[in-house]
Amino acid sequence: MRRAGFVVAAATALTLGAAGTGRADTTATAEVTASWGDRVRLQYSWTDRQTITGGTLRVTDATCDDRAVYASLTVTTGAGRTVPLGDRHNTGGCGTTAEFPDVTVSDPSGVLRMTLRICHPAPGGATATCETRYIGANPYRPDALRF
């Protein structure tokens, strides 16, 4: 795996929650491009110290190199565990975008960080090439910035 750095957030905006709740959610958006050219866009909301909701991930095959592209999401919990949220594959081919509106997680110990990796398989079935391109810290957890 090649570590290509990370983006704390491409854009962060504060939006009001449902009327009458008095809560504010922080929406994070990350748009990243792998060194080989494929792209992912992740948008989700930090609801509180324990929860991520409303997430949508878009995985775009921009390279037209006859190799699928996929994104891998994990979270680090307040208890220090790394929990995989699964891989989301785009197998549609050249110029296609696969959308996954299912990025949600909650943990009683809290969620410190969300990590996004973008990957594509190597020719001939060898190990995939992956880059960690985004690490987002929970704004409701001051301890999330220590890693």
Side-chain angles (χ1 to χ4, degrees):
M1 177 178 88
R2 228 172 55 136
R3 181 168 175 91
F6 65 90
V7 177
V8 173
T12 302
L14 188 63
T15 59
L16 295 179
T21 64
R23 105 170 177 228
D25 293 345
T26 300
T27 300
T29 301
E31 294 189 50
V32 296
T33 302
S35 63
W36 61 85
D38 290 327
R39 296 186 310 267
V40 294
R41 182 177 195 272
L42 173 64
Q43 185 169 13
Y44 61 98
S45 294
W46 294 102
T47 304
D48 54 33
R49 292 173 57 86
Q50 291 130 336
T51 308
I52 293 171
T53 61
T56 299
L57 178 67
R58 290 175 183 86
V59 181
T60 301
D61 182 341
T63 57
C64 300
D65 59 3
D66 293 324
R67 292 194 273 170
V69 60
Y70 66 95
S72 179
L73 294 168
T74 59
V75 294
T76 303
T77 69
R81 292 182 326 220
T82 299
V83 177
L85 300 182
D87 297 339
R88 297 348 190 261
H89 293 260
N90 177 353
T91 57
C94 180
T96 63
T97 298
E99 184 171 306
F100 305 93
D102 61 350
V103 180
T104 301
V105 66
S106 186
D107 189 89
S109 68
V111 177
L112 294 176
R113 290 178 288 284
M114 164 104 59
T115 302
L116 169 65
R117 292 175 47 186
I118 184 170
C119 305
H120 69 165
T127 304
T129 299
C130 296
E131 296 177 356
T132 300
R133 301 295 292 189
Y134 173 83
I135 300 173
N138 187 338
Y140 297 100
R141 305 263 327 213
D143 57 338
L145 297 175
R146 289 178 286 178
F147 55 99

